[in-house]
Amino acid sequence: MKVLSGMRPTGKLHLGHYFGVIKNWVELQEKHETFYMIADWHALTTAYKNTEQIKENIEQVMIDWIALGLDPNKSTLFIQSEVKEELELFLIFSMITPKSWLEWNPTYKDMKLNLLRISDLELSFKGGLRDLVKEFLAKVPYKIVDFEAFEEVILDTLSDSFIRAVFEGLLEPEILNRLNVSKRDFYDTDTYGFLGYPVLQAVDILIYKAEAVPVGEDQLPHIELSREIARRFNQLYGEVFPEPKALLTETPRLLGTDGRKMSKSYNNAIFFADGKEEVRQKVMKFFTDPQKLRKGDPGRPHICPVFFYHRLFTNSEKTQQIEVDCMSGTLGCVDCKKIMFESLESFLEPIREKRLEVEKSIKDIKEVFMEGSQRARQIARQTLEEVKEKMKL
Ligand code: TRP
């Protein structure tokens, strides 16, 4: 099975990246033909204003990948922008992809709405967004059976252009200040390139004729779109592309130090580049069961982020004991965190050492990625030939 995946170079990797995707990638390279790319053009779709970071970020990702066990002897590790053939296919796919497929892509809508969260807007509107919808519904000349459900549906499916209209027309500058957003922020991703993000991703996958794509759940709409583009091309011009399927990781979403999903932007992440002391401090600041205020209070391990980490990093016998002692109250959070820190460190330490080693030979590592890119390019070139032949170009 041919496997391919990619990652945008957004900086140093953290535990969430590892459990979310990379662990899966490392396992897959044992049994399959695997391709892993650093998707630097994709980074450009959102970071086009801060391009000075991208080169450095690519290097950091290279170092982390190797330190985490991706092996250039088993996988083709490469850089998207080194394969210029992708651009030609990107142009061709752009011609055959209906605009509506992109505009309705949930990930696209999500990302745009994330910039301006509806809940923020609701609070700050004159009257509130909900009132606006209510007012509208009151004027509809039909009897609405379940008013609230209908209202929810409307709020949920508010289209991008509606949000934009509201944003343009109804928000006072003073409110914008309070929300800390500007019109410019809103239009950051209102670009041709960003709309085409999933088309480029379809190119990434299809130009290497990948059959399986190991990704996180959030990427499913993109994989689906790749399948649709493959199908459309094959129908229009003849069979070239296999339809790729997504491979999801079983690992639960990794929690950060505050119990929310681990993410750089939440400031709750533990990075592989963090030193031992840094990790210790982060562990000691971990959120725990808010009802367990002091040693002696019974705790609820199943809702505690620290216990979540014990389950991942501490051996199962000890973990069971910790569960019992937390619930009875004999184990306090500080001691519990100290044990967790030791367990976590026994996982992180070898990676940190490998990382330092790899960092020293960054020149060789870059070379490895260049060789990988050459290999990827060969395949891309062949596919492109085939594409043009089928299209009679
Ligand atoms: N969009 C993916 C993400 O944000 C990264 C990516 C780019 C990718 N190209 C890809 C993933 C190709 C899988 C296959 O995580």
Side-chain angles (χ1 to χ4, degrees):
M1 187 168 71
K2 207 187 249 186
V3 173
L4 176 139
S5 197
M7 185 178 274
R8 279 172 300 141
T10 51
K12 292 171 185 157
L13 301 195
H14 53 63
L15 283 167
H17 291 113
Y18 179 72
F19 287 99
V21 285
I22 296 199
K23 185 165 178 273
N24 206 12
W25 294 6
V26 172
E27 285 160 12
L28 285 163
Q29 67 182 354
E30 300 303 328
K31 290 210 193 91
H32 302 284
E33 193 187 349
T34 42
F35 295 80
Y36 300 121
M37 71 159 73
I38 299 180
D40 53 346
W41 281 328
H42 274 116
L44 214 47
T45 61
T46 48
Y48 60 88
K49 287 182 186 164
N50 307 316
T51 48
E52 71 282 354
Q53 273 295 319
I54 294 179
K55 254 192 185 153
E56 167 64 20
N57 286 350
I58 293 174
E59 279 184 25
Q60 292 299 323
V61 171
M62 288 175 173
I63 294 167
D64 277 319
W65 278 15
I66 303 288
L68 289 171
L70 290 179
D71 181 347
N73 295 313
K74 295 175 184 161
S75 294
T76 300
L77 305 179
F78 69 105
I79 301 185
Q80 182 185 40
S81 65
E82 289 298 317
V83 187
K84 315 290 180 208
E85 284 73 9
E86 283 209 14
L87 293 177
E88 202 169 339
L89 190 60
F90 183 44
L91 181 106
I92 291 171
F93 280 179
S94 302
M95 302 300 166
I96 69 168
T97 306
K99 244 174 25 183
S100 60
W101 290 5
L102 305 176
E103 284 161 351
W104 289 103
N105 181 309
T107 312
Y108 171 74
K109 288 210 300 183
D110 264 16
M111 246 169 135
K112 288 202 59 121
L113 292 185
N114 264 343
L115 277 173
L116 263 188
R117 283 158 308 178
I118 290 191
S119 54
D120 281 349
L121 284 176
E122 258 194 87
L123 295 175
S124 312
F125 269 134
K126 319 168 185 163
L129 191 55
R130 201 169 284 273
D131 288 344
L132 215 68
V133 173
K134 264 206 182 79
E135 207 177 299
F136 165 75
L137 287 180
K139 287 184 189 146
V140 176
Y142 304 104
K143 185 173 155 31
I144 296 166
V145 184
D146 189 344
F147 194 87
E148 271 174 24
F150 195 45
E151 193 188 35
E152 272 323 303
V153 170
I154 294 184
L155 283 166
D156 270 0
T157 51
L158 277 179
S159 73
D160 203 37
S161 44
F162 178 81
I163 293 280
R164 185 183 315 178
V166 165
F167 185 57
E168 296 267 302
L170 291 177
L171 286 180
E172 320 248 10
E174 172 238 328
I175 292 174
L176 288 180
N177 269 341
R178 204 152 20 98
L179 286 174
N180 204 12
V181 289
S182 68
K183 280 195 186 179
R184 279 233 302 291
D185 288 335
F186 184 63
Y187 288 112
D188 257 10
T189 51
D190 200 30
T191 59
Y192 177 50
F194 186 69
L195 182 68
Y197 184 111
V199 180
L200 183 57
Q201 187 160 340
V203 172
D204 289 343
I205 297 167
L206 298 176
I207 205 166
Y208 308 103
K209 299 193 180 182
E211 297 153 85
V213 190
V215 283
E217 218 176 17
D218 61 313
Q219 295 294 307
L220 288 180
H222 290 339
I223 310 301
E224 188 51 37
L225 192 89
S226 303
R227 297 163 61 83
E228 276 165 358
I229 293 178
R231 224 173 293 148
R232 183 154 165 92
F233 184 97
N234 293 344
Q235 263 164 16
L236 284 170
Y237 309 109
E239 197 74 19
V240 172
F241 300 108
E243 283 181 36
K245 64 166 194 271
L247 296 179
L248 288 179
T249 330
E250 303 132 35
T251 332
R253 180 174 271 213
L254 195 86
L255 302 184
T257 57
D258 57 0
R260 289 188 291 173
K261 180 188 172 205
M262 185 175 282
S263 160
K264 188 166 99 177
S265 49
Y266 288 159
N267 219 346
N268 65 358
I270 294 174
F271 295 91
F272 295 104
D274 287 348
K276 187 167 178 172
E277 281 318 304
E278 234 169 322
V279 175
R280 189 199 306 276
Q281 280 169 19
K282 287 182 181 180
V283 168
M284 293 323 281
K285 281 195 205 128
F286 249 74
F287 282 33
T288 55
D289 177 0
Q291 280 179 21
K292 185 168 162 62
L293 296 176
R294 56 187 73 79
K295 192 174 165 179
D297 293 348
R300 295 169 296 171
H302 58 282
I303 63 145
C304 178
V306 177
F307 189 69
F308 176 91
Y309 274 66
H310 278 303
R311 274 206 287 233
L312 279 177
F313 299 106
T314 306
N315 71 48
S316 59
E317 209 179 310
K318 245 197 220 166
T319 303
Q320 270 169 24
Q321 193 57 47
I322 287 165
E323 188 173 12
V324 171
D325 293 345
C326 169
M327 278 161 43
S328 71
T330 49
L331 180 66
C333 293
V334 173
D335 288 333
C336 179
K337 285 175 175 176
K338 282 182 183 159
I339 305 171
M340 190 272 262
F341 171 68
E342 292 304 329
S343 315
L344 177 59
E345 266 302 301
S346 56
F347 171 76
L348 286 178
E349 207 167 277
I351 297 170
R352 188 180 300 128
E353 267 164 33
K354 181 90 192 282
R355 213 182 177 281
L356 288 171
E357 203 180 294
V358 175
E359 215 164 7
K360 277 186 226 145
S361 50
I362 182 70
K363 263 211 177 109
D364 299 339
I365 301 298
K366 282 187 183 165
E367 197 48 47
V368 160
F369 276 79
M370 285 304 147
E371 281 164 23
S373 303
Q374 284 307 321
R375 244 180 298 155
R377 223 174 157 176
Q378 296 291 339
I379 304 173
R381 205 172 292 153
Q382 276 172 20
T383 309
L384 198 56
E385 286 297 314
E386 221 181 307
V387 161
K388 286 196 275 191
E389 198 183 298
K390 286 277 199 261
M391 293 179 78
K392 307 195 168 51
L393 294 177

